[in-house]
Amino acid sequence: MNPKYLSAMWAAFAPTLGNHLWQSTIFAIAAGLLTLVLRKNRARTRYWLWLAASVKFLIPFSLLVVMGSNLPWPRHYAGLKPGSYFAMEEFSQPFTPPAISMISRSAPTIVTPTMPHLLPALLIAVWLGGFLVVLFAWYVRWRRICVAVREAVAMQGGREVEALRRLERLVGMPKQIELRMSRASLEPGIFGIARSVLVWPERISEHLEDAHLNAILAHELWHVRRRDNLVAAIHMLVEAIFWFHPLVWWLGARLVEERERACDEEVLASGSERRVYAESILKTCEFCVEFPLACLSGVTGADLKQRILRIMTERVALKLDWGRKLLLTMAGLLAVASPFVFGALNATERQAGSQTPNTPHSYEYEVASIKPNSSGTNMVRLMFSPDGLTATNGTLQMFINAAYRIDDNQIFGGPSWLKSDHYDIEAKMDSATADALHNLSEEQARIERQRMLQALLADRFKLTIHRETRELPIYALVIAKNGPKLQEAKPGDTYPNGIKGPDGHAGTGMMFMNGRGSVTGQGIPISDLVRLLSRQLGRKVEDKTGLTGKYDLTLQWTPDESQGAMFKGPSPEPQGSASPPPPEASGPSIFTALEEKLGLKLESQKGPVETLVIDHVEKPSEN
């Protein structure tokens, strides 16, 4: 696999893994705090808490978050942004950067991370090696038990079988357990999950009195009744996958401890004497020379000294009172509901950022015509006039650029025809709307025209979007080492020989681009140049020059073949003005031209970029 591709995939996956491990760790700590509260209650309650903490490692909360975000929450809640959403996001996902690098659905370009390309492969190799080592260790132990069970002889009679059948009725076992006599040096234990087999060491009965025998057999039957081997297998899987996390192994020790303690409590509750039961465990330990195996639920697990002391001295464990039952219920509901609530808040956040076809606007076009353009020419035009909008040979992506004042690299999602199908738009507003726009300031009028175009796209293209902030490569426009070379525009200059607008008059704030590689501006702010550069480079450009004036400029460069074909924006395009000559093929790059002609420099960086994600769009009907 390509190391760069693997590195990019790891950069996208690593925060998710970090968040999952963090969430699982916090969940385990919370479970541990609950076990402290319930330390005087029955061991089986604490056992299930530790099991929940183990299983959490296999179930990422992100699944519940996705489920919660996809539920049909009422639309009128879309405007809400609960403060708890931000606190939950910071606490539950600390490894998620403020803006997440993602792969565009419409342009599968992978942002190459700065980490060494071999590091992800090395980490994956280390994890895989540990995973295989743990699996192999479990396999070796499992094979030893399999061999012992296969070589064991089924017992049909004897005091062991009689005692087992009597205890099965007492414990309430749904079916009989097969008892096999083994010559291996193993402790008595239950093997198997779906079909349980009790492995009984040969000659151990000679060392046990009937009371001891009954206590040991009762202990093993409770292992079967509680399905402890299934739980052990689940945690073994957790240990194999997350072998690198110390907490996983600590959870395994807690599970074994509470598992044996829970069985001890059940045996004592069924009538066995404490002294006899403790003696039966000690006699079993004296007979066996092997340590218990994780894939076999035996009788000698957990810390033997503490266990015997607990059996002999502790009082009967308390049952859960209503207060502790309520505590456990609330904790369980909180653990399950929190991700759903987080997903719901995320859904309302997305709804709040979405634009719908019915979004009301103070200004709107009275009539609009949208027709496909199949001319095949490269001439693209989009022009706002005092009473309307005219666009020729434009793509929907170009219209989105103009409507939301955003560049191609900031648009994610959508079908392929977003950039390939061309349309002509002719939209007109009534005289009252045109007069109202005329009375607004220049900036207010620009904003209202954008909203009008947004409403038109939502109505005719059924366009719905939501906004996201993502970390993407950007350029910072800064002043070069030798200082700026821009010519500041003269106040009141009407440019009689300059670029003329659609009304035939020349003035400030106009920029003209002939094809690619040549631009002329008169009385424009740096922000207009920044937008032009963003479109040409296919990457957001941030103004860090600190220049606040308006400037005249002429810039020529040799376009890179990977750059966009034309300048596509809402700036007025004059008619009949003289076109500057096209740049020579051997001319400077746009980076060199900026520094030599304007005294400005582009620096490559990474930073948060507001993006639009297209949720739905349709081709318009002709009219």
Side-chain angles (χ1 to χ4, degrees):
M1 181 178 290
N2 190 318
K4 291 185 177 181
Y5 185 85
L6 184 62
S7 182
M9 293 298 98
W10 174 259
F13 174 71
T16 301
L17 176 60
N19 289 331
H20 173 65
L21 293 176
W22 167 257
Q23 293 161 6
S24 300
T25 301
I26 295 300
F27 190 92
I29 292 174
L33 294 176
L34 282 175
T35 62
L36 291 177
V37 176
L38 304 172
R39 61 186 178 277
K40 294 183 179 180
N41 294 96
R42 292 189 173 183
R44 64 182 181 185
T45 303
R46 297 187 297 274
Y47 177 77
W48 289 112
L49 285 173
W50 292 126
L51 175 60
S54 174
V55 173
K56 169 61 189 73
F57 278 88
L58 300 177
I59 304 177
F61 273 162
S62 57
L63 295 178
L64 298 180
V65 171
V66 171
M67 292 173 62
S69 63
N70 287 317
L71 291 177
W73 302 100
R75 183 170 292 276
H76 64 274
Y77 290 122
L80 298 176
K81 280 178 66 174
S84 59
Y85 170 80
F86 301 102
M88 289 174 62
E89 185 175 31
E90 287 294 326
F91 179 76
S92 63
Q93 303 185 56
F95 295 96
T96 300
I100 304 174
S101 297
M102 295 184 67
I103 301 175
S104 168
R105 287 175 284 172
S106 59
T109 302
I110 298 174
V111 178
T112 304
T114 57
M115 70 169 62
H117 299 317
L118 295 180
L119 180 59
L122 178 61
L123 293 176
I124 293 174
V126 171
W127 172 83
L128 183 60
F131 176 75
L132 294 177
V133 167
V134 174
L135 284 186
F136 181 75
W138 293 137
Y139 173 77
V140 170
R141 298 182 181 184
W142 178 78
R143 284 292 301 170
R144 290 174 59 191
I145 299 294
C146 283
V147 171
V149 172
R150 187 170 58 248
E151 294 177 352
V153 179
M155 300 178 63
Q156 303 299 329
R159 67 187 184 112
E160 298 90 348
V161 176
E162 293 177 359
L164 180 63
R165 300 296 175 244
R166 183 177 64 256
L167 290 171
E168 286 175 343
R169 293 190 294 271
L170 180 63
V171 173
M173 297 297 298
K175 60 181 180 180
Q176 292 184 349
I177 304 298
E178 183 181 0
L179 182 63
R180 292 191 179 186
M181 184 76 72
S182 174
R183 294 182 179 181
S185 299
L186 298 174
E187 64 167 301
I190 295 294
F191 179 77
I193 298 175
R195 179 173 174 269
S196 299
V197 176
L198 175 54
V199 181
W200 192 258
E202 188 179 23
R203 296 174 57 191
I204 191 174
S205 299
E206 300 173 6
H207 302 269
L208 301 174
E209 298 178 6
D210 289 344
H212 299 144
L213 180 67
N214 290 335
I216 295 174
L217 289 174
H219 182 98
E220 299 306 325
L221 287 178
W222 277 110
H223 277 308
V224 179
R225 180 73 180 272
R226 290 164 38 82
R227 298 187 179 275
D228 286 335
N229 278 356
L230 175 60
V231 173
I234 293 174
H235 188 71
M236 288 167 64
L237 177 62
V238 174
E239 289 179 335
I241 297 176
F242 300 96
W243 59 266
F244 53 87
H245 200 316
L247 183 60
V248 167
W249 300 96
W250 186 79
L251 283 175
R254 302 288 73 74
L255 280 170
V256 171
E257 177 183 350
E258 299 296 352
R259 179 185 73 188
E260 299 304 322
R261 188 171 180 179
C263 287
D264 292 345
E265 291 176 354
E266 297 291 353
V267 173
L268 294 175
S270 64
S272 294
E273 296 183 11
R274 293 179 180 273
R275 180 185 59 80
V276 172
Y277 185 49
E279 288 178 352
S280 66
I281 294 176
L282 290 174
K283 288 179 178 291
T284 302
C285 291
E286 291 174 353
F287 178 82
C288 300
V289 295
E290 295 283 343
F291 288 102
L293 301 181
C295 45
L296 182 144
S297 295
V299 73
T300 64
D303 188 288
L304 184 60
K305 181 179 179 180
Q306 291 185 4
R307 187 176 172 193
I308 296 298
L309 181 63
R310 188 167 53 243
I311 291 172
M312 296 299 299
T313 61
E314 280 192 0
R315 294 177 298 176
V316 176
L318 300 175
K319 293 184 178 181
L320 292 175
D321 56 24
W322 70 269
R324 284 176 167 78
K325 288 182 179 179
L326 179 61
L327 175 64
L328 286 175
T329 302
M330 295 301 295
L333 290 176
L334 181 64
V336 175
S338 295
F340 273 97
V341 172
F342 184 79
L345 293 176
N346 184 50
T348 60
E349 169 74 5
R350 291 182 59 177
Q351 290 178 5
S354 299
Q355 298 290 331
T356 63
N358 298 320
T359 302
H361 293 279
S362 302
Y363 303 87
E364 61 182 12
Y365 291 111
E366 183 179 23
V367 294
S369 172
I370 301 179
K371 298 179 180 179
N373 184 305
S374 56
S375 62
T377 65
N378 291 326
M379 186 62 186
V380 178
R381 180 187 184 200
L382 189 152
M383 180 177 66
F384 288 108
S385 62
D387 64 344
L389 164 70
T390 300
T392 305
N393 200 33
T395 62
L396 177 56
Q397 182 147 317
M398 165 187 164
F399 303 144
I400 295 174
N401 291 341
Y404 292 93
R405 206 170 179 82
I406 203 165
D407 300 315
D408 289 352
N409 67 307
Q410 295 171 260
I411 300 175
F412 289 80
S416 59
W417 60 264
L418 199 74
K419 296 183 288 186
S420 60
D421 289 11
H422 294 255
Y423 297 92
D424 296 336
I425 297 180
E426 190 71 34
K428 294 293 182 181
M429 62 186 79
D430 56 36
S431 57
T433 302
D435 292 340
L437 280 176
H438 181 72
N439 294 328
L440 297 177
S441 67
E442 181 179 347
E443 180 64 16
Q444 288 176 325
R446 180 189 65 79
I447 293 175
E448 292 302 333
R449 290 181 185 277
Q450 286 182 231
R451 290 176 177 171
M452 293 170 68
L453 181 53
Q454 291 173 16
L456 178 63
L457 298 181
D459 180 43
R460 300 299 299 277
F461 287 88
K462 309 303 179 187
L463 176 68
T464 60
I465 59 96
H466 72 269
R467 298 178 184 270
E468 291 182 4
T469 300
R470 304 182 179 185
E471 185 172 315
L472 300 173
I474 64 172
Y475 286 115
L477 183 64
V478 300
I479 296 176
K481 181 173 60 176
N482 296 326
K485 302 177 183 179
L486 291 162
Q487 179 182 348
E488 192 160 357
K490 298 177 182 178
D493 196 335
T494 57
Y495 299 93
N497 299 318
I499 304 172
K500 293 181 174 57
D503 56 1
H505 295 90
T508 61
M510 307 188 90
M511 186 160 55
F512 176 81
M513 185 169 185
N514 180 35
R516 302 172 61 207
S518 180
V519 64
T520 301
Q522 55 191 31
I524 63 169
I526 292 297
S527 59
D528 285 1
L529 176 62
V530 165
R531 284 184 53 76
L532 167 68
L533 295 175
S534 295
R535 290 173 181 164
Q536 288 299 308
L537 298 171
R539 183 184 298 187
K540 180 183 178 181
V541 177
E542 288 190 352
D543 178 18
K544 295 187 178 180
T545 62
L547 300 175
T548 58
K550 294 186 177 181
Y551 305 92
D552 298 338
L553 59 88
T554 299
L555 192 65
Q556 291 188 348
W557 70 92
T558 299
D560 192 303
E561 292 302 320
S562 63
Q563 296 171 8
M566 293 268 323
F567 169 67
K568 309 182 291 297
S571 300
E573 179 180 322
Q575 300 181 21
S577 57
S579 301
E584 297 180 3
S586 59
S589 68
I590 192 170
F591 300 91
T592 304
L594 275 171
E595 189 164 357
E596 292 180 351
K597 300 297 183 182
L598 304 183
L600 303 177
K601 184 179 179 181
L602 288 170
E603 294 182 348
S604 182
Q605 299 178 359
K606 291 187 71 174
V609 178
E610 185 181 67
T611 64
L612 294 185
V613 179
I614 296 176
D615 298 318
H616 180 77
V617 69
E618 299 177 8
K619 290 187 177 183
S621 57
E622 294 187 33
N623 59 6

